Amino acid sequence: MVVELISVGTELLLGDIVNTNARYLARQLAKLGLACYYQTVVGDNPERIKAALDVAFSRSDMVILTGGLGPTKDDLTKEMIMDYFHKEVILDEQALSMMEKRLMARGFGPLSDSQKKQAYVPKDAIIMYNHNGTAPGCIVEDNGKYCLLFPGPPKEMEPMFEEYALPYLKQFSDRVFVSINIKMISKEDAPVTIVGEGPCAERLGDLVDNANPTVATYAKTDGCLIRVTAAAENRDKALRLLNPMVDKCKSVLGEKYIKEIYEE
């Protein structure tokens, strides 16, 4: 299963907000062992959203979209998806009821038409109800294509993903990724010729060419990071692959230069 991320929102393109959703989702997919090769950011424009979907589905099996599910005129993602998959539009009574209760509790009167539009969903979709906002998410399946829609605010998207999408996505993966990080002390506390990324990579030698687990080095301002990652059927099996490699890395790096070791 290859998954692609599309983040919808002109504010992202303008740099008004940071795209933390893509980072969160990419990390979740990696933990699930699902491949993600591309990420796209597109503005609130129906034609450009459709074009992004065309490209995404030409190279991926599943697309996860965030943003554009709200009540305003530029919230077009869900409408675009219903049109893209030729899905009938229906009113989800539970989503509407949840929305009414939430807005009334905050002092709003009767729902406006723009607010109600959030409760309209594609027929036969799996609905992901929003316990932290108003717009529900949904999962659309159509002829071997899978599309997951989430609201843009991270405080709504993240718990929705964990409640609904996480158990749903597990069926598409037969492996997990587990990482152990080796954090070196900073160049302020030891010579950069020892703890810098280049010298660390040199001492690791052929270990960085290993296939599973993989060993990768990252330059950080507070000290080089070495990430050892294993893919396996489950976490226990991944750790059995990881631990010997971590021990080898510790040996060649020099334990006195290691600040901490932790699982990601």
Side-chain angles (χ1 to χ4, degrees):
M1 176 64 68
V2 178
V3 186
E4 188 152 339
L5 303 179
I6 297 180
S7 305
V8 179
T10 302
E11 67 275 15
L12 294 169
L13 292 174
L14 295 175
D16 292 336
I17 62 172
V18 177
N19 190 2
T20 59
N21 285 343
R23 180 179 185 270
Y24 171 85
L25 290 170
R27 291 169 69 93
Q28 293 296 322
L29 293 172
K31 289 178 183 177
L32 286 165
L34 296 171
C36 180
Y37 300 138
Y38 300 95
Q39 297 180 15
T40 300
V41 179
V42 62
D44 300 293
N45 178 283
E47 292 306 312
R48 287 193 279 274
I49 295 172
K50 180 182 181 298
L53 284 166
D54 285 339
V55 172
F57 278 120
S58 73
R59 60 194 180 191
S60 303
D61 310 295
M62 177 183 291
V63 177
I64 298 179
L65 296 102
T66 56
L69 301 186
T72 62
K73 288 184 179 180
D74 63 351
D75 288 316
L76 302 165
T77 305
K78 185 171 57 182
E79 287 77 4
M80 182 67 250
I81 291 299
M82 290 188 285
D83 180 64
Y84 191 86
F85 288 105
H86 308 292
K87 294 291 184 181
E88 182 182 340
V89 181
I90 61 169
L91 177 66
D92 188 285
E93 295 291 349
Q94 182 176 339
L96 181 64
S97 176
M98 290 174 65
M99 192 184 309
E100 287 175 333
K101 289 177 182 177
R102 183 176 182 85
L103 291 176
M104 287 177 66
R106 295 171 63 189
F108 287 87
L111 267 63
S112 65
D113 289 341
S114 62
Q115 289 169 329
K116 286 181 180 178
K117 90 175 180 100
Q118 298 172 93
Y120 284 90
V121 298
K123 186 178 180 180
D124 301 324
I126 300 169
I127 308 305
M128 299 186 286
Y129 295 102
N130 193 339
H131 304 293
N132 301 279
T134 53
C138 64
I139 301 171
V140 178
E141 301 175 349
D142 186 80
N143 294 322
K145 295 179 180 179
Y146 303 87
C147 191
L148 283 67
L149 280 70
F150 291 94
K155 68 178 182 179
E156 300 176 32
M157 185 276 292
E158 292 181 15
M160 186 182 289
F161 181 92
E162 290 168 15
E163 180 179 358
Y164 294 100
L166 196 56
Y168 174 81
L169 291 171
K170 284 181 179 178
Q171 67 180 302
F172 299 106
S173 178
D174 59 357
R175 59 180 178 164
V176 297
F177 284 97
V178 179
S179 295
I180 291 180
N181 290 330
I182 302 173
K183 183 69 173 177
M184 305 299 289
I185 60 177
S186 76
K187 61 184 180 180
E188 307 299 325
D189 300 314
V192 69
T193 52
I194 296 176
V195 297
E197 183 190 14
C200 285
E202 186 175 343
R203 293 205 301 283
L204 289 166
D206 292 342
L207 295 180
V208 297
D209 298 322
N210 201 65
N212 190 27
T214 59
V215 178
T217 61
Y218 301 91
K220 302 287 184 179
T221 56
D222 60 343
C224 178
L225 179 73
I226 294 89
R227 179 171 294 133
V228 187
T229 303
E233 184 180 339
N234 54 53
R235 179 177 175 274
D236 288 341
K237 290 183 178 180
L239 287 173
R240 286 201 290 272
L241 292 171
L242 280 171
N243 290 329
M245 180 61 74
V246 170
D247 288 340
K248 290 179 182 178
C249 292
K250 288 164 54 179
S251 177
V252 299
L253 291 169
E255 292 198 40
K256 69 178 181 179
Y257 299 113
I258 296 173
K259 180 180 180 180
E260 60 178 331
I261 299 174
Y262 57 95
E263 182 180 335
E264 187 169 308

